[in-house]
Structure formats: structure tokens, C-alpha cells
Amino acid sequence: MPEQSFRFRFRVRYGECDAQGVVFNARYADFVDIAVNEYIRTLFGDYQHLLDQDLDIQVVSMTVNWKAPAKFDDVLEARIRAGRLGNTSFTLHLEFFRHGDGQFIADADITYVVIQPSKMAKAVIPDSLRDKLETGAPGVLISHAGETA
């Protein structure tokens, strides 16, 4: 994934690690969710903006592949870009790297379906959202890690 993808940094907390001293596998779903929330906020603005258009997104699939362990206090960087853009669904691809040494930690694909909450039914991805997903947020970095470099 190019360096110009959207990037989100966060620090691994003690409670996210298991008895082996590494990030517990189930926590990666949380990491994906937190990173995607920042990405969606960057692309579409406040989440309420989607709801005000009678639009919402729901997860229908997520896969994670682990490459190396992450540990307590590591700063991880999620890099996000759009994958497949369908008629009513879209996939985001994430890659997680350890900030500092660049170790590739994991990748994930998460697929959302766009719905119309008032009808609880699938909705076609509006062109305005599709355009933002296709463009992405290249070069944007948001950090919650408090790293110094």
C-alpha cells in the first residue's frame, strides 16, 4: 500500500494483550473499527452527516491475517484504502505496521453494506459517497498515540 494512503496511529494498551504478552487476536477487530471510524470521519465528516441523509453502513464481513506480533506500548499505524466498490457494498483494506521499525503486523478487509435506516434495507452507494471512497484521504495522518516522531 502506498505511503500516501490514509494513516491512523494508536498505541497498544496493556489490557489488549494476552497471557503470551502479545495483542490478543480478537482485539484486531477493535483496531479495525477504531481506524475505520477515523477514516469515515475524514471522508464523510461527522457520522451524523450520513444519518442525516438516511444512510448508514453495516459490517457484513471482516477477515484478518496476522504477519507478526504486536506488544504492549507498540505504536501501530493502520493504512487504509478502498478495495472493491460494489452497487450497495464496499470493502476497505487495512494494513497495520509497527511505527518506528515498519514491521508489517497484519492486514484486514472489512466489507460494509450501505443501508437506508428508515427502511432497514440496502441502498445503492450514492455517487457523492462513491467519489469520496474512490479518492480516499491520501496523505492524511491522524494519531492518537502521542508519539514524538
Side-chain angles (χ1 to χ4, degrees):
M1 188 173 300
E3 281 296 320
Q4 288 302 328
S5 3
F6 172 86
R7 297 174 297 146
F8 172 67
R9 290 185 191 152
F10 59 97
R11 190 173 298 275
V12 174
R13 299 171 299 180
Y14 179 78
E16 294 166 329
C17 297
D18 61 19
Q20 297 169 335
V22 298
V23 173
F24 179 56
N25 64 75
R27 295 293 167 238
Y28 283 87
D30 294 332
F31 294 169
V32 168
D33 186 63
I34 293 165
V36 167
N37 280 333
E38 293 299 330
Y39 186 64
I40 294 296
R41 184 178 296 113
T42 298
L43 291 185
F44 306 138
D46 187 324
Y47 197 81
Q48 187 63 44
H49 179 70
L50 285 176
L51 298 175
D52 289 345
Q53 300 173 67
D54 198 23
L55 296 171
D56 201 354
I57 56 175
Q58 294 180 338
V59 176
V60 294
S61 174
M62 182 171 60
T63 58
V64 179
N65 301 290
W66 293 272
K67 309 298 181 183
K71 298 179 180 179
F72 168 64
D73 218 30
D74 281 351
V75 173
L76 299 185
E77 180 175 285
R79 300 176 188 169
I80 306 175
R81 64 173 169 76
R84 181 185 168 280
L85 297 174
N87 188 41
T88 61
S89 66
F90 62 92
T91 299
L92 298 177
H93 181 71
L94 296 87
E95 292 179 342
F96 293 90
F97 294 87
R98 185 171 30 249
H99 180 64
D101 67 7
Q103 174 67 51
F104 184 27
I105 302 297
D107 64 6
D109 287 297
I110 186 164
T111 302
Y112 293 88
V113 66
V114 176
I115 67 158
Q116 188 176 7
S118 64
K119 297 182 180 178
M120 285 306 288
K122 289 182 184 180
V124 172
I125 300 171
D127 289 341
S128 60
L129 269 65
R130 181 179 298 279
D131 292 345
K132 289 175 182 175
L133 287 165
E134 287 174 346
T135 301
V140 173
L141 168 66
I142 294 174
S143 181
H144 290 185
E147 75 280 13
T148 57

